[in-house]
Amino acid sequence: MKIHVKVPATTANLGPGFDALGLALDLWNEADFVATDDRQITLTIAGEGEGKLPTDANNPIVEAALQVYDLAKKPCSGIRIHCINRVPLSSGLGSSSTAMLTGLLGANALLGNPFNDEEILKLAIENEGHPDNVAPAMLGGLVASIVYEGRVISIKLPARANRSPMHVTIVLPDFDFPTRQARAILPKQVDRKDAIYNISRAVMVTEALRTGDLDLLGKAMTDALHQPYRLPLIPGAQAAMEAGRHAGAAAVALSGAGPSLIAFSSKQDPNIGHSMQRAFEAAGLSARIFELSTSYEGAEVMIV
Ligand code: HSE
């Protein structure tokens, strides 16, 4: 029996929805899991991270898979895992969430699903620390999350972007900006006016995505809590945002903690990505372009 797992990339924050909103994208990491009895965990990787990611017990997919065996109190007699990675690492596109979910879902399916989807999501959020990538990767579409009495509640919101995918351009500069660093530089306290700025806009962003109103999205997808501190640390990022808007994107934001930027537009237009890429190049950074759409579907597990 082979288990096939697919998990999408995600973009978190969506401008003002810092740590609260996330959206699944139509770019997928896939993995095959086979149970063996050779007492070995073998992991092979093709694509993003090939030759860079660990393939031993330190790989997050392996760690997550073994966590499921532990929690289910089942011995692991061996697993063979092969991954096809399309989500770039450390990019602001949720690659660590895809790895976490891949390991949890693959092992859970090998064991005959001792845990339901809600339990797997809860475990992934506890491991990851933030729900805004993990929850949309699991559920698909636009997802809002809150912490209620110490427990995360994540809800998939009705959004036009879910029903008819919106066009999205991701521009990823070749710049190391780990999430840990991108969080450490944020102020511990915020002004009331900045809090109001974000609360009001986060509501408008969900409404703009619900109705497909790109004009409203352009007005609302700005932020006072994280982008003003992060963008200046990524060479060319501010100029690339402006270049994207100038080239016709309705809205541009930092994707998650960065360093990639996400631009929304009514149609796929290569000029948007190229203009943003040139802005990064002018600041000395090469940049990759991904022309994508949003995904209503979240993680999928198949027995093949
Ligand atoms: N909301 C997070 C951040 C993204 O901006 O730091 C990673 O989950």
Side-chain angles (χ1 to χ4, degrees):
M1 180 180 71
K2 193 196 278 186
I3 304 295
H4 186 72
V5 181
K6 280 177 73 179
V7 185
T10 47
T11 183
N13 300 333
L14 295 163
F18 179 60
D19 275 3
L21 294 178
L23 182 63
L25 300 174
D26 195 15
L27 179 71
W28 300 80
N29 279 352
E30 300 187 47
D32 286 325
F33 287 70
V34 178
T36 63
D37 53 14
D38 58 5
R39 313 228 147 258
Q40 313 252 347
I41 310 244
T42 322
L43 177 76
T44 48
I45 298 169
E48 301 286 339
E50 184 178 344
K52 287 188 201 147
L53 285 168
T55 53
D56 58 11
N58 294 319
N59 184 285
I61 294 178
V62 175
E63 283 177 344
L66 292 178
Q67 186 184 16
V68 171
Y69 278 83
D70 263 7
L71 290 171
K73 300 190 177 20
K74 298 274 185 195
C76 178
S77 62
I79 319 177
R80 194 167 66 240
I81 309 169
H82 178 63
C83 304
I84 299 175
N85 286 352
R86 299 188 185 88
V87 183
L89 310 180
S90 307
S91 57
L93 295 173
S95 69
S96 63
S97 293
T98 68
M100 172 78 58
L101 283 173
T102 297
L104 296 177
L105 290 168
N108 193 46
L110 283 178
L111 288 173
N113 296 314
F115 302 104
N116 63 29
D117 283 356
E118 203 178 319
E119 290 166 325
I120 292 289
L121 179 57
K122 183 169 175 284
L123 199 52
I125 290 171
E126 280 167 12
N127 288 349
E128 185 68 9
H130 319 286
D132 49 349
N133 285 115
V134 169
M138 182 75 183
L139 303 174
L142 174 65
V143 176
S145 300
I146 60 168
V147 180
Y148 175 76
E149 295 184 349
R151 193 165 58 88
V152 175
I153 300 176
S154 294
I155 301 285
K156 183 170 176 173
L157 301 175
R160 187 189 168 98
N162 294 343
R163 292 195 295 273
S164 69
M166 274 188 179
H167 295 287
V168 160
T169 305
I170 300 286
V171 183
L172 170 61
D174 183 12
F175 184 70
D176 192 28
F177 195 47
T179 302
R180 206 181 320 107
Q181 182 193 347
R183 292 184 79 79
I185 52 105
L186 299 179
K188 295 270 178 288
Q189 296 193 321
V190 299
D191 273 359
R192 185 194 312 192
K193 70 170 176 17
D194 291 340
I196 293 167
Y197 185 100
N198 271 52
I199 292 165
S200 51
R201 278 166 180 76
V203 175
M204 287 293 183
V205 162
T206 60
E207 178 64 3
L209 291 172
R210 186 181 73 79
T211 58
D213 185 341
L214 281 170
D215 186 47
L216 181 61
L217 194 68
K219 294 186 173 95
M221 199 179 266
T222 55
D223 160 78
L225 296 184
H226 67 109
Q227 292 187 176
Y229 306 97
R230 290 170 166 174
L231 287 171
L233 302 180
I234 307 170
Q238 188 66 54
M241 281 183 92
E242 283 155 23
R245 291 297 297 263
H246 196 251
V252 186
L254 199 57
S255 184
S260 60
L261 298 180
I262 182 164
F264 290 82
S265 55
S266 58
K267 59 180 172 38
Q268 206 65 273
D269 180 356
N271 195 31
I272 293 172
H274 289 136
S275 302
M276 295 168 72
Q277 184 183 49
R278 279 196 296 275
F280 279 120
E281 284 169 356
L285 296 180
S286 61
R288 289 200 280 163
I289 301 170
F290 298 78
E291 291 191 353
L292 305 173
S293 54
T294 56
S295 172
Y296 189 66
E297 306 304 326
E300 206 179 316
V301 181
M302 283 159 282
I303 301 175
V304 290

mmCIF file of all heavy atoms in Angstrom, residues 12-13 18-19 130 132-133 179 183 226 230 256-257, ligand 1:
data_model
loop_
_atom_site.group_PDB
_atom_site.id
_atom_site.type_symbol
_atom_site.label_atom_id
_atom_site.label_comp_id
_atom_site.label_asym_id
_atom_site.label_seq_id
_atom_site.Cartn_x
_atom_site.Cartn_y
_atom_site.Cartn_z
ATOM 1 N N ALA A 12 0.582 33.846 4.082
ATOM 2 C CA ALA A 12 0.004 34.278 5.361
ATOM 3 C C ALA A 12 -0.009 35.800 5.444
ATOM 4 O O ALA A 12 0.685 36.487 4.697
ATOM 5 C CB ALA A 12 0.817 33.701 6.517
ATOM 6 N N ASN A 13 -0.826 36.289 6.339
ATOM 7 C CA ASN A 13 -0.972 37.714 6.687
ATOM 8 C C ASN A 13 -1.875 38.477 5.711
ATOM 9 O O ASN A 13 -2.727 39.244 6.117
ATOM 10 C CB ASN A 13 0.375 38.449 6.798
ATOM 11 C CG ASN A 13 1.280 37.865 7.864
ATOM 12 O OD1 ASN A 13 0.788 37.287 8.830
ATOM 13 N ND2 ASN A 13 2.584 38.011 7.697
ATOM 14 N N PHE A 18 -2.161 40.093 10.081
ATOM 15 C CA PHE A 18 -0.935 39.548 10.674
ATOM 16 C C PHE A 18 -1.247 38.417 11.663
ATOM 17 O O PHE A 18 -2.009 38.609 12.621
ATOM 18 C CB PHE A 18 -0.172 40.683 11.368
ATOM 19 C CG PHE A 18 1.097 40.252 12.038
ATOM 20 C CD1 PHE A 18 2.120 39.669 11.297
ATOM 21 C CD2 PHE A 18 1.278 40.414 13.396
ATOM 22 C CE1 PHE A 18 3.298 39.262 11.895
ATOM 23 C CE2 PHE A 18 2.451 40.009 14.015
ATOM 24 C CZ PHE A 18 3.460 39.436 13.267
ATOM 25 N N ASP A 19 -0.672 37.259 11.401
ATOM 26 C CA ASP A 19 -0.836 36.059 12.248
ATOM 27 C C ASP A 19 -2.276 35.537 12.290
ATOM 28 O O ASP A 19 -2.577 34.668 13.123
ATOM 29 C CB ASP A 19 -0.354 36.317 13.692
ATOM 30 C CG ASP A 19 1.166 36.108 13.844
ATOM 31 O OD1 ASP A 19 1.835 35.827 12.839
ATOM 32 O OD2 ASP A 19 1.651 36.234 14.987
ATOM 33 N N HIS A 130 2.249 29.018 14.649
ATOM 34 C CA HIS A 130 1.301 29.990 14.073
ATOM 35 C C HIS A 130 0.313 29.229 13.213
ATOM 36 O O HIS A 130 0.718 28.358 12.445
ATOM 37 C CB HIS A 130 1.994 30.995 13.147
ATOM 38 C CG HIS A 130 3.295 31.477 13.668
ATOM 39 N ND1 HIS A 130 3.373 32.355 14.692
ATOM 40 C CD2 HIS A 130 4.561 31.181 13.313
ATOM 41 C CE1 HIS A 130 4.643 32.586 14.948
ATOM 42 N NE2 HIS A 130 5.388 31.874 14.132
ATOM 43 N N ASP A 132 -1.467 30.550 10.738
ATOM 44 C CA ASP A 132 -1.850 31.236 9.490
ATOM 45 C C ASP A 132 -1.295 30.595 8.221
ATOM 46 O O ASP A 132 -1.787 30.885 7.132
ATOM 47 C CB ASP A 132 -1.563 32.742 9.551
ATOM 48 C CG ASP A 132 -0.182 33.091 10.025
ATOM 49 O OD1 ASP A 132 0.528 32.196 10.518
ATOM 50 O OD2 ASP A 132 0.202 34.256 9.895
ATOM 51 N N ASN A 133 -0.298 29.712 8.312
ATOM 52 C CA ASN A 133 0.108 28.909 7.154
ATOM 53 C C ASN A 133 -0.481 27.505 7.234
ATOM 54 O O ASN A 133 -0.994 26.969 6.243
ATOM 55 C CB ASN A 133 1.635 28.782 7.056
ATOM 56 C CG ASN A 133 2.309 30.048 6.557
ATOM 57 O OD1 ASN A 133 3.064 30.683 7.270
ATOM 58 N ND2 ASN A 133 2.017 30.434 5.330
ATOM 59 N N THR A 179 12.127 33.420 9.286
ATOM 60 C CA THR A 179 10.942 33.895 10.021
ATOM 61 C C THR A 179 11.312 34.303 11.446
ATOM 62 O O THR A 179 10.793 35.293 11.962
ATOM 63 C CB THR A 179 9.852 32.797 10.040
ATOM 64 O OG1 THR A 179 9.525 32.472 8.690
ATOM 65 C CG2 THR A 179 8.588 33.261 10.746
ATOM 66 N N ARG A 183 10.478 37.976 12.872
ATOM 67 C CA ARG A 183 9.588 38.217 14.026
ATOM 68 C C ARG A 183 10.331 38.969 15.125
ATOM 69 O O ARG A 183 9.755 39.815 15.805
ATOM 70 C CB ARG A 183 9.039 36.896 14.575
ATOM 71 C CG ARG A 183 8.085 36.209 13.621
ATOM 72 C CD ARG A 183 7.485 34.959 14.227
ATOM 73 N NE ARG A 183 6.397 35.226 15.144
ATOM 74 C CZ ARG A 183 5.140 35.512 14.800
ATOM 75 N NH1 ARG A 183 4.804 35.589 13.532
ATOM 76 N NH2 ARG A 183 4.203 35.726 15.710
ATOM 77 N N HIS A 226 3.631 44.973 10.604
ATOM 78 C CA HIS A 226 4.856 44.187 10.339
ATOM 79 C C HIS A 226 5.600 44.637 9.079
ATOM 80 O O HIS A 226 6.830 44.738 9.087
ATOM 81 C CB HIS A 226 4.540 42.683 10.280
ATOM 82 C CG HIS A 226 3.685 42.268 9.124
ATOM 83 N ND1 HIS A 226 4.167 41.538 8.065
ATOM 84 C CD2 HIS A 226 2.378 42.503 8.844
ATOM 85 C CE1 HIS A 226 3.179 41.320 7.209
ATOM 86 N NE2 HIS A 226 2.091 41.893 7.645
ATOM 87 N N ARG A 230 9.694 45.154 8.256
ATOM 88 C CA ARG A 230 10.355 44.083 7.508
ATOM 89 C C ARG A 230 10.831 44.533 6.126
ATOM 90 O O ARG A 230 11.932 44.152 5.697
ATOM 91 C CB ARG A 230 9.391 42.899 7.351
ATOM 92 C CG ARG A 230 9.136 42.190 8.666
ATOM 93 C CD ARG A 230 8.012 41.188 8.571
ATOM 94 N NE ARG A 230 7.996 40.286 9.730
ATOM 95 C CZ ARG A 230 7.065 39.384 9.968
ATOM 96 N NH1 ARG A 230 6.036 39.264 9.131
ATOM 97 N NH2 ARG A 230 7.134 38.606 11.021
ATOM 98 N N GLY A 256 3.559 36.201 3.931
ATOM 99 C CA GLY A 256 3.992 35.743 5.244
ATOM 100 C C GLY A 256 5.016 36.699 5.807
ATOM 101 O O GLY A 256 4.864 37.914 5.744
ATOM 102 N N ALA A 257 6.104 36.128 6.318
ATOM 103 C CA ALA A 257 7.182 36.963 6.871
ATOM 104 C C ALA A 257 8.190 37.339 5.795
ATOM 105 O O ALA A 257 9.223 37.918 6.085
ATOM 106 C CB ALA A 257 7.866 36.204 7.993
HETATM 107 N N1 HSE B 1 2.362 35.416 10.444
HETATM 108 C C1 HSE B 1 3.733 34.979 10.441
HETATM 109 C C2 HSE B 1 4.638 36.171 10.425
HETATM 110 C C3 HSE B 1 4.023 34.170 9.200
HETATM 111 O O1 HSE B 1 4.353 37.102 9.674
HETATM 112 O O2 HSE B 1 5.633 36.199 11.146
HETATM 113 C C4 HSE B 1 4.541 32.835 9.523
HETATM 114 O O3 HSE B 1 3.542 32.040 10.111
#
